[in-house]
Amino acid sequence: MSEKSQKEDNHTVFIGPKPFMNYVTGVVMQFTTQGADEVVIKARGKFISRAVDIAEVSAKRFLENTVAVKDIKIDSEEFENKEGKQVRVSTIEITLSKK
Amino acid sequence: MSEKSQKEDNHTVFIGPKPFMNYVTGVVMQFTTQGADEVVIKARGKFISRAVDIAEVSAKRFLENTVAVKDIKIDSEEFENKEGKQVRVSTIEITLSKK
């Protein structure tokens, strides 16, 4: 059980400012060469739109008929920024799963 | 049944480039003064991140303990742009529901 949890942790792709296809390739490779049954795509703030694009392109163009969106969670975190102001950032977790 | 469908259609907020709080107010008012049991927040492309922010602020700051995220759907649409090139845009639909 703990082994499974650890395995799942490794099949996570965090979306940031790198080239778009880096992330798509990352997701696709998890399924095709790393034997993942599920991959979780995570993003915060302005990268959320990108995470949705990457999930859609991965599932519909590259892994069509084999992988689908299983679950989507949104949340938000409050923290203090450098100026001591309370700020809130939204987060998303998109789980892709083998059909 | 058809009356219910029509009612649900009206409780939809499309996210675009207007000031952030316009949309939050729109969502909150649907619940508080329009008697909505559910509100669907829809967005495309770069406005997806914003839609998540608006859902989170509406549900957690303004409607805390009364409204929660019930469902999230992502999808994408392909169409031909002005230059005749095939382009793809992602979409999101976030359903907020009274607890």
Side-chain angles (χ1 to χ4, degrees):
Chain A
M1 194 65 186
S2 70
E3 198 186 317
K4 185 159 166 37
S5 303
Q6 200 185 332
K7 197 179 166 193
E8 282 173 356
D9 285 348
N10 295 335
H11 297 310
T12 298
V13 177
F14 289 93
I15 308 305
K18 287 185 216 162
F20 187 82
M21 284 306 295
N22 286 26
Y23 299 107
V24 174
T25 308
V27 171
V28 172
M29 296 273 283
Q30 295 280 336
F31 282 110
T32 55
T33 72
Q34 305 295 314
D37 293 321
E38 285 189 9
V39 173
V40 182
I41 298 170
K42 295 188 182 184
R44 293 157 57 97
K46 65 177 180 178
F47 294 114
I48 288 175
S49 302
R50 225 162 181 235
V52 174
D53 288 339
I54 287 156
E56 284 291 311
V57 168
S58 300
K60 293 206 178 144
R61 196 185 307 165
F62 289 93
L63 299 164
E64 212 186 341
N65 302 323
T66 62
V67 163
V69 174
K70 184 189 172 192
D71 190 36
I72 307 167
K73 289 196 187 84
I74 63 173
D75 202 352
S76 51
E77 296 166 12
E78 292 219 37
F79 61 96
E80 215 170 80
N81 70 4
K82 282 178 288 186
E83 289 80 34
K85 202 181 159 193
Q86 206 68 15
V87 293
R88 206 191 49 74
V89 66
S90 299
T91 62
I92 197 166
E93 289 190 19
I94 304 168
T95 305
L96 299 182
S97 178
K98 276 197 179 158
K99 280 186 185 174
Chain B
M1 194 63 186
S2 68
E3 199 187 317
K4 185 158 165 40
S5 303
Q6 202 185 330
K7 198 179 165 193
E8 282 175 354
D9 285 348
N10 294 336
H11 296 311
T12 297
V13 177
F14 289 93
I15 307 307
K18 287 185 215 161
F20 186 83
M21 284 308 293
N22 286 27
Y23 300 106
V24 174
T25 308
V27 171
V28 173
M29 295 273 282
Q30 295 281 335
F31 283 110
T32 54
T33 74
Q34 305 296 313
D37 293 320
E38 285 189 8
V39 173
V40 182
I41 298 170
K42 295 188 183 186
R44 294 157 56 97
K46 65 177 179 179
F47 294 114
I48 288 175
S49 302
R50 230 167 173 230
V52 174
D53 288 340
I54 287 156
E56 284 291 310
V57 169
S58 301
K60 294 206 177 143
R61 195 184 307 164
F62 290 93
L63 300 163
E64 210 185 343
N65 301 322
T66 64
V67 163
V69 175
K70 184 191 172 191
D71 190 36
I72 307 166
K73 288 196 188 84
I74 62 171
D75 201 353
S76 50
E77 297 166 12
E78 291 219 37
F79 62 94
E80 215 170 79
N81 70 2
K82 283 178 288 186
E83 288 80 32
K85 201 181 159 193
Q86 207 67 17
V87 293
R88 206 191 49 75
V89 65
S90 299
T91 63
I92 197 166
E93 288 189 20
I94 303 168
T95 305
L96 299 183
S97 178
K98 276 197 179 156
K99 280 185 186 175

